[in-house]
Amino acid sequence: MTTERLQATDVSATDKRPRKGEGDRLSKLSRHQHIISQLAAAPTLRASELAAALGVSGETIRRDLMELQEQKLINRTYGGASRPFALEPTLTDRRAIMIAEREAIASAIADLILPNEVLMLAAGATTFHVARRLAASAHDITVITHDFAIAAALAVNSSIRVLCCPGRYHAAEGYVFGTQTIASINSYEANRAIVGATGISARGINDADDEAGAIYGAMVKRAAEAIIVADHSKFDQRALTVFAHWTDIDRLVTDRQPEGSLATALREAGTETIVAQR
């Protein structure tokens, strides 16, 4: 009888012991991966919700967020975390990646351009591919640019008239910027502005450089049609300055169909999406 009572007591004590949830068995690496993946789906997260989802204490989540911020994988906010701002790699590095995607985008742009059009072509790795494709296929157009490499790429086609904006030279990026550049852009009218971006999201089109963003925003305003060229790696990325909203943009030319909140924002703004075929 004594043995039976002892066994019953042991079972009862075991039943009342707190059971570990799935989150408690997650390693720190797994928790970090979960946080990063969640930020890919939502721009901000609350620490309390993360703690509940992972079955860990608020203190554990705060330590996780501190470590991820030190690794520059997130930005800590009051009560949670947000996606880190995108930073632009060097121009040389940018030109060495996503080449097939950018060439497809450039080809799709070239198909839109008609003879005698006036274009504004902003600086950037993707727009450089656009310039090279236009040099190979376009004729009798005028292109206004502030990027020296783009001007040189276009100049091999003698039927393309190239107008270069004045301004302060950015040695690392190879373009000019500043008040003179913007004043020059504002003195023109164009059929289309073709502009790249550091990132695009439901909130709008952004760039890591505020000076460059000011130029891109000016171009968007001076053209009858504004076109953003951006490959899928730019989707849902945020950067320092938002230079335009989707209501300002007529077309997005990209290599993959946008999804989620970005797709919703494009649809609500009436922005056409053209998916370039490789």
Side-chain angles (χ1 to χ4, degrees):
M1 189 72 175
T2 304
T3 303
E4 291 176 354
R5 287 177 179 172
L6 180 59
Q7 289 175 341
T9 301
D10 289 344
V11 171
S12 176
T14 301
D15 288 344
K16 292 180 180 178
R17 193 175 302 148
R19 301 190 180 203
K20 288 187 175 183
E22 184 66 27
D24 293 323
R25 295 194 292 271
L26 290 176
S27 66
K28 180 168 71 172
L29 176 60
S30 296
R31 294 197 308 272
H32 287 190
Q33 290 174 337
H34 175 84
I35 293 168
I36 296 301
S37 66
Q38 289 297 105
L39 277 176
T44 61
L45 297 173
R46 294 189 62 81
S48 59
E49 294 173 353
L50 283 171
L54 294 171
V56 296
S57 68
E59 183 60 33
T60 297
I61 284 296
R62 284 191 288 274
R63 286 197 301 268
D64 287 340
L65 296 182
M66 287 179 64
E67 291 181 17
L68 289 170
Q69 179 172 257
E70 289 171 359
Q71 298 172 46
K72 303 187 185 303
L73 296 174
I74 68 163
N75 286 338
R76 286 193 68 197
T77 61
Y78 181 76
S82 66
R83 292 174 188 156
F85 280 2
L87 299 176
E88 284 275 45
T90 65
L91 181 60
T92 300
D93 290 342
R94 296 201 307 275
R95 285 184 179 171
I97 60 175
M98 309 298 285
I99 293 174
E101 292 83 356
R102 287 169 171 163
E103 288 182 347
I105 291 169
S107 179
I109 288 290
D111 289 342
L112 299 175
I113 307 307
L114 302 174
N116 301 314
E117 286 195 344
V118 177
L119 310 179
M120 288 185 174
L121 192 53
T126 305
T127 49
F128 177 71
H129 282 276
V130 172
R132 294 201 306 178
R133 182 54 63 96
L134 290 175
S137 62
H139 58 90
D140 299 325
I141 63 173
T142 297
V143 180
I144 301 158
T145 188
H146 64 119
D147 185 293
F148 288 0
I150 284 175
L154 292 166
V156 301
N157 183 331
S158 60
S159 77
I160 298 178
R161 183 187 184 198
V162 182
L163 303 179
C164 294
C165 300
R168 180 180 175 186
Y169 184 61
H170 191 310
E173 292 291 323
Y175 63 68
V176 295
F177 66 97
T179 55
Q180 285 182 304
T181 310
I182 293 175
S184 176
I185 291 167
N186 287 338
S187 70
Y188 294 114
E189 297 282 351
N191 297 101
R192 310 177 202 257
I194 303 167
V195 179
T198 299
I200 60 176
S201 70
R203 296 186 178 186
I205 307 93
N206 55 62
D207 200 86
D209 188 325
D210 59 331
E211 295 281 8
I215 294 168
Y216 304 161
M219 286 184 169
V220 165
K221 293 176 182 176
R222 299 302 297 179
E225 179 180 85
I227 302 173
I228 297 297
V229 289
D231 64 72
H232 69 272
S233 69
K234 307 296 182 70
F235 291 1
D236 298 313
Q237 294 291 324
R238 297 191 304 156
L240 177 64
T241 180
V242 175
F243 63 82
H245 297 281
W246 291 113
T247 50
D248 305 316
I249 305 302
D250 299 283
R251 287 173 170 165
L252 166 66
V253 181
T254 184
D255 66 305
R256 187 177 297 179
Q257 189 68 43
E259 299 178 349
S261 60
L262 175 57
T264 300
L266 290 164
R267 185 172 58 253
E268 291 178 349
T271 302
E272 179 187 1
T273 300
I274 297 176
V275 179
Q277 301 300 314
R278 285 191 279 170

